[in-house]
Structures are given as structure tokens and as C-alpha cells.
Amino acid sequence: MNAKKIAAERAVDYIKDGMIVGLGTGSTAYWAIEKIGAKVREGLNIKAVATSLRSEEQARKLGIKLIPFSEIDKIDITIDGADEVDQDLNLIKGGGGALLREKIVAAASRQLIIVVDESKMVDKLGAFPLPVEMVKFGYEITVRKLQSLGCEPVLRKVDNDTYITDNGNFIVDCHFKRIDNPSELHNKINMIPGVVDNGLFINMAAKVIIGYNNGDIKELI
Ligand code: 5RP
């Protein structure tokens, strides 16, 4: 059983005709976008905003109507994945490199539905390295400031090339191992000049849908 797929498809049940929908990024959000595309072909009438160029391209191929962010006041529902989810529904996101657009879209959404497989549920955040998006200028200093917060920062690379986000920035993956106070850490990181945003999503998820390998689905609110 594909646990990511069943969680993602369950989330799509919450989308109703006429809604503006935020499309997440990653291998779980992928299944939600596929299902939305299928429903659009069956007559569902929605407009969407994507959190990455990848998701935008997928949506376009499926015939999902995309609108620019500038034309939107509020997004009704956003469906997105996560790298870790704790018991308070705080998240680490950004493993796929789209954390900034994901956070902008999430913050503009009436309801953020997070879809994950069971492996993403944790007692404490931090085993997954926390992605931090930063501008290129002076990034060496920005990285040293991050290090002083108690992590081992690693500049993200893909095939030996430095990874560049859809916004033209770097990502540094911060190995904290365990984050005891996510809210405090979120604020401390975002106070560092050069940091654009970090992958901690605090009190943003309205609902988390967990898919299990045995086919079960659980919803946390
Ligand atoms: C991308 C993200 C993804 O939602 C997160 O990395 C989870 O990805 P996946 O569903 O592939 O496990 O935050 O920036």
C-alpha cells in the first residue's frame, strides 16, 4: 500500500467546487495534485496556486487552472507534505527545497492540510536536518551565525552543484538532532540577517492526514 498516496488522496476529499487551492511540493503532494487533476477532468471547478515550479508544471499538464498569487486574497485549502510532524502538529518542511513558497502559501491559506506517511511522525522535531533558505550574499557569515545556535550546517548540493531554490537562494540543512523549543528556534533563525526563512512551520497545520503502510488512515486536528 502506498501510504503517501492514500493520505494525499484523502485530503483531496476536502476540496469543493469554487475553491482556490494551494498545491504543495514533494512526493506526497504529487499524489494530491494527480487526484485533483483527475477530479478537474470529471468537472471539479477550482483554481490553484503552486508552491514550486515543479508542482506548477505538473498542474499545468493535468489541466488544473493556475492563477498568479497577485490575484488572490485568500487560499481556501492548501495540501502539502512535511519531513517531520510532532505531537503539536508543528512541522519541519523544505526537504524538497520549496519551504519559502510553501510558507507564503500556507500563511495565506484558511486551512493547511498536511499529508504524510507514518514515518514522518516524531515525538521531537530535529532528527531531520532543518532547511534554512538564505541569500547568497555573505552566506558564509550567515552559516556561522546558524552554527552558533548549536547545529552542524551543511550547504545543500545536488550532483556536486550548489542547490538553488526557485527564488534564486541557497539552502543550508542544519543538523540540530533534537529541537526542544521549535517556536523559539524559528524566531532566532529568522532574526539572522541573510536568512530568508526556515523550514519550521509552527501552529500552521490545521489538519495532518497520516497514511499507514497497512492501508489505514488517521486524521489529527
Ligand atoms: C518540500 C517539502 C515537502 O513537503 C517535504 O520535503 C516532504 O516531501 P515528501 O512528500 O517527498 O516526503 O517540504 O519543500
Side-chain angles (χ1 to χ4, degrees):
M1 189 66 73
N2 185 335
K4 292 185 176 190
K5 185 166 185 260
I6 57 172
E9 290 187 344
R10 169 66 64 86
V12 175
D13 291 342
Y14 288 96
I15 297 176
K16 304 286 175 247
D17 231 34
M19 281 186 167
I20 295 178
V21 178
L23 306 174
T25 296
S27 59
T28 317
Y30 167 89
W31 291 113
I33 300 171
E34 287 293 307
K35 181 80 180 185
I36 293 168
K39 285 195 155 192
V40 164
R41 281 196 297 282
E42 289 164 9
L44 179 73
N45 177 28
I46 56 128
K47 291 176 187 159
V49 177
T51 55
S52 63
L53 300 178
R54 239 177 308 155
S55 297
E56 197 174 300
E57 192 184 324
Q58 184 190 358
R60 192 167 288 120
K61 281 188 186 148
L62 292 167
I64 299 169
K65 189 171 179 188
L66 290 158
I67 42 170
F69 208 67
S70 56
E71 282 179 23
I72 291 166
D73 185 29
K74 270 280 169 193
I75 296 163
D76 294 293
I77 286 182
T78 290
I79 301 174
D80 204 350
D83 300 298
E84 281 186 348
V85 180
D86 75 9
Q87 309 305 314
D88 299 322
L89 309 193
N90 292 322
L91 320 168
I92 287 183
K93 286 185 51 53
L99 71 98
L100 179 59
R101 293 190 187 197
E102 289 172 339
K103 200 178 272 186
I104 292 170
V105 168
S109 302
R110 292 198 169 90
Q111 202 183 16
L112 172 64
I113 303 181
I114 293 296
V115 288
V116 290
D117 64 45
E118 55 185 309
S119 71
K120 306 290 183 69
M121 301 305 297
V122 297
D123 286 331
K124 288 264 180 202
L125 299 176
F128 189 92
L130 176 65
V132 176
E133 180 157 348
M134 63 182 63
V135 296
K136 293 174 185 171
F137 179 83
Y139 82 92
E140 296 90 341
I141 297 176
T142 312
V143 167
R144 282 203 290 278
K145 292 224 159 100
L146 276 174
Q147 200 168 18
S148 73
L149 295 178
C151 68
E152 186 197 324
V154 178
L155 182 66
R156 190 178 294 186
K157 302 217 172 199
V158 176
D159 299 332
N160 279 334
D161 290 325
T162 303
Y163 178 81
I164 307 290
T165 69
D166 287 349
N167 318 298
N169 297 316
F170 289 163
I171 289 207
V172 171
D173 293 302
C174 296
H175 296 249
F176 280 99
K177 297 202 172 86
R178 177 189 160 113
I179 297 171
D180 283 318
N181 190 334
S183 174
E184 186 183 74
L185 183 65
H186 173 276
N187 295 343
K188 279 186 178 168
I189 292 175
N190 280 11
M191 288 290 287
I192 299 173
V195 167
V196 182
D197 213 331
N198 73 78
L200 284 166
F201 283 49
I202 311 294
N203 290 329
M204 293 188 92
K207 191 190 295 281
V208 174
I209 303 182
I210 310 162
Y212 292 83
N213 297 327
N214 66 4
D216 286 351
I217 299 178
K218 191 163 143 189
E219 299 194 14
L220 304 177
I221 48 170

